[in-house]
């Protein structure tokens, strides 16, 4: 689908996207690249990274992949440093790396809970922490007093309660708090805007294949206000809005992009 944004809205910016090799992260990488940004993607799987970088480069996007696990602080530090060395700046950090599986609370081991907290919540904070000194130097253009911007991919699971998702709900709730607190502290101190996106069910993502095996197309449609799944494109457009100048007065918010789904109940 054609973008409603001008093709140069993030020209000259450098974006680092964790989990940028697949799903929502890859679409954000692609759209940021097609709107002028240079792209660094971080992920654990070499093959996934390599094929994503090739796909981006085949679109004429300046792209590089760095292997790393957001659970390891030394990886986070190395990847932000490498991004800065490679492109000479860092303006945008997108935390899209996430872990998930369906399991009842009764069957979830504390280590399973901790694993998802470590990837989603601690990983998000660690990336922000390591990126801060570079984001201070980035932002709306060289010589600008403004800092860069951070985007954290969240969810709507924790607005209510979600079956078999206690670990992810807790992790995404923590991410939303990280978003607000960093927006307050780093917005005030460094002009760094920190926002989030809470996607609904998005077709063609690892999350959908793991969480809604076929169910969503029939049963759930009854209570989906827009009666359809979202596209990765919808999330990437929201990401562009929040990170480029159109979002310059938006800070500390998590934008829900779910077609109104989380508000709804089955029709009686
Ligand atoms: C119960 C499980 C489990 C499962 C793992 N564990 N899978 N418990 N059911 N299906 C438990 C293990 O038993 C172990 O605890 C602990 O979790 C760590 O497991 P590992 O396999 O060692 O972890 P690891 O290899 O690091 O893998 C992490 C992962 C994996 C999260 C389990 O799925 C992963 O890496 N996923 C990344 C990709 C991903 O899932 N993307 C989808 C994101 S979708 P014990 O106690 O046995 O040691 C998404 C959407 C959210 O985020 C919102 C949707 C609306």
């Amino acid at each position: 689908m054609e973008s409603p944004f001008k093709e140069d809205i993030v020209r000259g910016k450098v974006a680092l996207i964790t989990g940028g090799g697949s799903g929502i992260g890859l679409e954000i990488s692609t759209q940021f690249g097609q709107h002028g940004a240079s792209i660094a993607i971080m992920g654990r799987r070499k093959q996934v990274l390599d094929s994503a970088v090739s796909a981006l480069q085949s679109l004429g996007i300046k792209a590089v992949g760095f292997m790393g696990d957001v659970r390891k602080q030394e990886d986070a530090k190395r990847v932000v440093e490498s991004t800065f060395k490679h492109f000479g700046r860092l303006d945008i950090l997108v935390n899209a790396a996430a872990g998930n599986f369906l399991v009842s609370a009764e069957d979830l081991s504390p280590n399973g809970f901790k694993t998802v907290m470590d990837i989603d919540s601690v990983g998000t904070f660690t990336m922000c922490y390591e990126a801060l000194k570079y984001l201070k130097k980035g932002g709306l253009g060289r010589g600008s007093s403004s800092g860069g911007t951070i985007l954290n991919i969240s969810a709507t699971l924790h607005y209510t309660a979600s079956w078999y998702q206690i670990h992810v709900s807790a992790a995404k709730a923590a991410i939303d708090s990280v978003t607000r607190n960093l927006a307050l502290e780093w917005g005030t101190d460094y002009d760094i805007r920190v926002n989030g996106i809470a996607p609904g069910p998005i077709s063609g993502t690892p999350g959908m294949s793991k969480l809604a095996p076929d169910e969503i197309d029939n049963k759930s449609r009854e209570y989906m206000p827009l009666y359809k799944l979202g596209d990765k494109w919808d999330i990437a457009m929201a990401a562009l809005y929040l990170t480029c100048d159109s979002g310059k007065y938006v800070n500390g918010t998590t934008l829900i992009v779910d077609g109104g789904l989380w508000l709804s109940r089955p029709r009686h």
Side-chain angles (χ1 to χ4, degrees), residues 201 208 212-221 224 229 261:
M208 274 304 288
D214 299 333
E215 284 276 287
I216 200 84
D217 271 339
N218 35 66
K219 225 166 82 188
S220 308
R221 282 174 75 98
M224 293 178 68
L229 300 180
L261 180 60

Side-chain angles (χ1 to χ4, degrees), residues 156-166 169 262 265:
T156 60
L157 304 168
H158 53 295
Y159 296 171
T160 52
S162 300
W163 286 96
Y164 311 134
Q165 289 283 272
I166 188 172
S169 298
W262 88 271
R265 294 281 181 281

Side-chain angles (χ1 to χ4, degrees), residues 44-45 69 71 96-103 107-113 115-116 119-120 154-157 165 168 172 199-201 205-208 210-211:
R44 286 181 297 162
R45 294 165 295 175
D69 187 333
R71 288 173 285 189
N100 203 353
F101 45 83
L102 286 172
V103 64
D107 292 331
L108 176 63
S109 70
N111 191 46
F113 186 94
T115 297
V116 171
I119 299 170
D120 292 24
S154 185
T156 60
L157 304 168
Q165 289 283 272
V168 184
K172 297 296 192 182
T205 58
M208 274 304 288
K210 278 191 164 182
L211 301 181

